[in-house]
Amino acid sequence: MRPENARVTFADRLIRWQLEHGRHSLPWQGTRDPYAIWISEVMLQQTQVNAVIPYYLRFMARFPDVAALAVVPVEDVLALWSGLGYYSRGRNLHRAACIIMEQHGGIFPRDAAALQQLPGIGRSTAAAIAAFAFGEHCTILDGNVKRILARYFGISEYPGKQVVEEQLWQLAEELLPTMGNHRTIAAYTQALMDLGALVCVRRRPDCHHCPLQADCFACQQNLTANLPVPKPRKTLPVRETIHLILLNQKNQIFLEKRPAEGIWGGLLCFPEIPIDQDGINFCEEHLRVRAITLAHLPHLPHSFTHFKLNIQPLLLRCTGNLSACEKNDEEKNCLWLTIEQALLRGIPVPTRKLLLMTQSYLSPKTHE
């Protein structure tokens, strides 16, 4: 166990370290605007800072406040989110913005408990918003903080287990600085984030520059490579599927909008059929168009959290019933778009890759 003054020394050391060595120029820093903080915190869920920055800047330029976000259709949000992954985050942002406008008069809830009632805002994200925007005395517990605490206290069980996570929440709350103003809690919260991102990283942590090394269990026992205990491994199932890339005579591509819930919810995607189904027959029976095969494009692997997807892209060309190959049906969420138009819409990463693959195939240089 740590000594009686561990809470004070832990927080003080982190805050002093952050002031000198932490990050101070990220685009969402230096503000107490809960909207701006909220957008950044949601984008940073399971996504690296460098990947988030350009998305954040574009998002804030297009939707500078909660009213601007709530008033647009969710498709506009997903279009800007395209490529960032975990698209439920974008859908939940839009839903939460609508709730803030409708139920809170456009005013952001001011405490973590109220924030946690909004879609897509969990306990740690709510605490981060409340700490940075309102100076609430509450702690975060994201993946970085779990790693710091698991090493510091020598916790030898997987942090994702419910009982271990509850223990980590208790420890995180006990380590909060007991004195100080808004700046203190904000600096401490940022210090936790920065330490996990810059020093106490997953592989090869830089313990020599860590302000906690003197009484960190993992550092003292040379166990940083073993802690935190990794998630028990399991083999992910592999699913095979065919994506139909259907071209009309104008080289427009047929895309369908996915249902709001589920994988790639609300995004435009290619029609997807089982691996043993005939693509040309599917086009005739379900899309009411005749088609011929142009090419079997290279397989495209894509990984999700719970399974791996192996996509076999089949490039087809419409040959009959050409009027049906040019008609958009917004009600049925079926669109014919040029590749350039499609790239500007809300699409998942595999669809983007397949569009670029198709664009390359159709390029005259490809066949020179």
Side-chain angles (χ1 to χ4, degrees), residues 248-249 289-290 318-327:
N248 64 16
Q249 301 304 315
V289 298
R290 292 182 181 177
C318 290
T319 59
N321 192 12
L322 295 182
S323 62
C325 296
E326 299 176 356
K327 183 179 179 182

Side-chain angles (χ1 to χ4, degrees), residues 155-225:
I155 295 174
S156 58
E157 291 186 87
Y158 171 54
K161 290 176 60 176
Q162 184 175 349
V163 63
V164 180
E165 187 166 352
E166 290 173 358
Q167 179 187 5
L168 290 171
W169 272 112
Q170 182 177 347
L171 291 170
E173 289 172 349
E174 290 175 357
L175 291 168
L176 277 167
T178 54
M179 303 290 290
N181 53 21
H182 169 271
R183 290 184 179 179
T184 302
I185 192 65
Y188 175 71
T189 303
Q190 187 64 54
L192 283 171
M193 295 177 174
D194 289 355
L195 190 73
L198 303 176
V199 175
C200 194
V201 293
R202 185 176 288 108
R203 295 181 179 86
R204 297 183 181 178
D206 188 9
C207 296
H208 293 298
H209 293 96
C210 178
L212 306 175
Q213 63 168 300
D215 54 356
C216 171
F217 180 89
C219 181
Q220 296 304 313
Q221 300 297 321
N222 196 28
L223 290 173
T224 55

Side-chain angles (χ1 to χ4, degrees), residues 274-287:
I275 196 69
D276 58 352
Q277 188 167 351
D278 185 272
I280 292 176
N281 288 343
F282 178 88
C283 289
E284 274 199 57
E285 295 175 9
H286 297 276
L287 305 181

Side-chain angles (χ1 to χ4, degrees), residues 95-136:
R95 287 174 55 206
C98 293
I99 291 172
I100 292 170
M101 294 303 298
E102 294 168 3
Q103 300 181 17
H104 299 273
I107 306 299
F108 234 86
R110 293 186 60 87
D111 62 82
L115 287 165
Q116 201 173 336
Q117 301 306 309
L118 294 171
I121 300 183
R123 183 175 175 182
S124 186
T125 300
I129 299 168
F132 285 128
F134 309 118
E136 183 176 345

